[in-house]
Amino acid sequence: MKTIDDLGDLRGKRVLVRSDLNVPLDGTTITDDGRIRASVPTIRRLADAGARVVVVAHLGRPKGAPDAKYSLRPVVSRMSELLGKDVAFATDTVGESAQAVVAALADGDVAVLENIRFNAGETSKDEAERGAFADQLAALADVFVSDGFGVVHRKQASVYDVALRLPHAAGGLVLTEVEVLKKLTVDPQRPYVVVLGGSKVSDKLGVIDNLLGKADRIVIGGGMVFTFLAAKGYEVGKSLLEADQIETVKGYITRAAELGVQVVLPVDIVAATAFSADAEHDVVAADAIPADRMGLDVGPETSKLFASALADAKTVFWNGPTGVFELEPYSHGTRALAQALIDSGAFTVVGGGDSAAAVRRLGFDEKAFGHISTGGGASLEFLEGKTLPGIAVLES
Ligand code: 3PG
Ligand code: MG
């Protein structure tokens, strides 16, 4: 992959930067600014080199038209604070405002265009429609820097098609992320333990399939674990369950046994009467979840079990909280897991917006982890061994 250095002297050049600024918002308040902070170094570097920096990004999944609740405006204020300089904001994607804002940039200035998904061309499955939008984006710049690692698994106009139209390079964040994830796929130090959580098994099927041939141990928590418990024949009450995946999961459990890969499942569960911090809740055995309860976190015995599964690890990849960490009564499993990762002394990679946010929200020092990835789906697809369109296009 070409790097920013390969682009030569950028003074006075218009550089289109694709960042992933898709941060969680509560109204207009950013609840976790990790992705903005991770994007700033590349933007600062380009500005310092005298480029006219035009940042494009998405927020949420608007339906191809402007929608005020997905505006990037709050993100622009935060970026401006972090950069310590004014950041211009275009109120459209490639229209009059974008053109005027870009035309007004002086060397070293930074602008952000409004949520790129406000234009249907961005995510269109129709190559021609996407291409036409990419043409308009490319017209705003002289070179393209891809730095939104969290979206490189998307074949979208500002990630993929625009790179076909402009001289391009990978930004520092994309380079770092790829380098770290390669360490996990090519000859990881063993034992290599993968911890998967989060709500949906169906999002993780590909990665589990692939990891069965790579990891020494797979530790499972989060909402997805109830499909595993159901596959073992346990009652899971009102817990999250993907009944249509039970057979697939049974197949994984059998294959893991054949391959000698240990699958570590919870032995106890925090079971609540409702999805609420105030709901009645108790620790129950994993095979004794009452019919009227839902599991919202793993229990304390499970936390000990998980910690022992991590103790001798040399490499750990963790994606997905063990429970509903946003609600205090169900945050303990995730907290204990994060602590066990730190205590293991392993090279630890935390992937996925939720786990990264959990680490920060629960008050851990990010530096205690080897790497906190800005990519959720992107890091999982990388580990699955899939071709990521936004990376492949940079390699050509
Ligand atoms: C993410 O949050 O995973 C990335 O920003 C990609 O967003 P998307 O899943 O809506 O494409
Ligand atoms: Mg996603």
Side-chain angles (χ1 to χ4, degrees):
M1 277 191 287
K2 288 209 178 73
T3 68
I4 291 172
D5 282 333
D6 299 320
L7 293 173
D9 184 8
L10 291 173
R11 182 158 298 279
K13 292 234 176 97
R14 296 168 306 162
V15 181
L16 190 72
V17 184
R18 181 43 156 116
S19 300
D20 183 358
L21 304 176
N22 190 22
V23 291
L25 287 182
D26 180 4
T28 58
T29 305
I30 296 163
T31 54
D32 181 62
D33 67 357
R35 280 180 165 161
I36 309 175
R37 283 186 291 115
S39 301
V40 158
T42 293
I43 294 167
R44 177 177 286 130
R45 176 178 167 189
L46 292 166
D48 287 350
R52 304 174 177 202
V53 186
V54 182
V55 181
V56 293
H58 73 282
L59 186 85
R61 293 180 177 169
K63 302 273 167 268
D67 183 341
K69 70 173 180 290
Y70 295 116
S71 174
L72 277 173
R73 198 181 279 280
V75 170
V76 174
S77 314
R78 182 71 186 126
M79 183 183 291
S80 173
E81 283 169 22
L82 290 166
L83 273 171
K85 65 194 282 172
D86 283 343
V87 175
F89 180 53
T91 56
D92 60 21
T93 58
V94 291
E96 274 173 32
S97 173
Q99 290 168 26
V101 162
V102 173
L105 290 175
D107 297 359
D109 281 354
V110 178
V112 178
L113 307 183
E114 183 55 289
N115 191 338
I116 204 73
R117 291 185 182 171
F118 283 2
N119 193 304
E122 170 67 2
T123 56
S124 176
K125 295 278 175 261
D126 177 52
E127 305 265 333
E129 187 185 4
R130 237 179 37 238
F133 181 54
D135 285 341
Q136 290 180 288
L137 267 176
L140 293 172
D142 303 302
V143 297
F144 174 60
V145 171
S146 177
D147 207 37
F149 179 74
V151 279
V152 292
H153 58 317
R154 304 288 181 219
K155 194 174 183 182
Q156 296 177 348
S158 69
V159 178
Y160 176 81
D161 303 81
V162 78
L164 301 172
R165 288 164 169 78
L166 289 172
H168 51 77
L173 179 60
V174 161
L175 288 173
T176 304
E177 295 263 19
V178 168
E179 198 180 307
V180 169
L181 291 171
K182 271 199 181 135
K183 280 196 206 169
L184 301 187
T185 50
V186 183
D187 201 18
Q189 277 213 63
R190 295 182 182 279
Y192 172 26
V193 184
V194 174
V195 186
L196 296 175
S199 49
K200 283 174 120 185
V201 178
S202 46
D203 285 350
K204 310 260 158 77
L205 293 177
V207 81
I208 297 172
D209 206 15
N210 194 276
L211 288 170
L212 281 176
K214 301 232 159 66
D216 299 299
R217 243 171 254 153
I218 303 182
V219 174
I220 301 191
M224 65 185 273
V225 85
F226 300 102
T227 305
F228 278 78
L229 296 179
K232 288 186 61 171
Y234 300 171
E235 285 301 326
V236 297
K238 293 195 293 172
S239 308
L240 266 185
L241 175 67
E242 285 177 87
D244 55 338
Q245 304 297 348
I246 292 178
E247 285 310 312
T248 311
V249 166
K250 278 187 187 164
Y252 290 150
I253 294 176
T254 309
R255 236 175 82 216
E258 286 163 8
L259 292 165
V261 175
Q262 217 184 322
V263 177
V264 183
L265 296 175
V267 291
D268 58 354
I269 293 290
V270 181
T273 51
F275 190 94
S276 151
D278 311 322
E280 212 179 296
H281 58 272
D282 299 287
V283 175
V284 301
D287 60 358
I289 301 174
D292 60 345
R293 296 260 179 139
M294 58 181 75
L296 296 181
D297 194 13
V298 299
E301 286 308 315
T302 301
S303 289
K304 284 187 209 155
L305 178 69
F306 285 4
S308 67
L310 288 164
D312 67 343
K314 290 281 184 296
T315 308
V316 183
F317 175 74
W318 171 32
N319 179 299
T322 66
V324 188
F325 73 91
E326 299 90 338
L327 305 178
E328 199 281 334
Y330 320 115
S331 64
H332 306 284
T334 303
R335 183 189 299 279
L337 176 66
Q339 189 61 51
L341 250 77
I342 295 171
D343 295 343
S344 73
F347 175 64
T348 52
V349 179
V350 181
D354 279 353
S355 344
V359 159
R360 290 186 283 260
R361 205 178 299 182
L362 296 174
F364 288 96
D365 179 2
E366 290 174 71
K367 291 189 197 69
F369 299 87
H371 179 71
I372 298 190
S373 176
T374 55
S379 58
L380 286 174
E381 290 196 19
F382 192 101
L383 293 188
E384 269 174 56
K386 279 198 187 161
T387 298
L388 308 181
I391 298 293
V393 75
L394 300 177
E395 287 166 342
S396 59

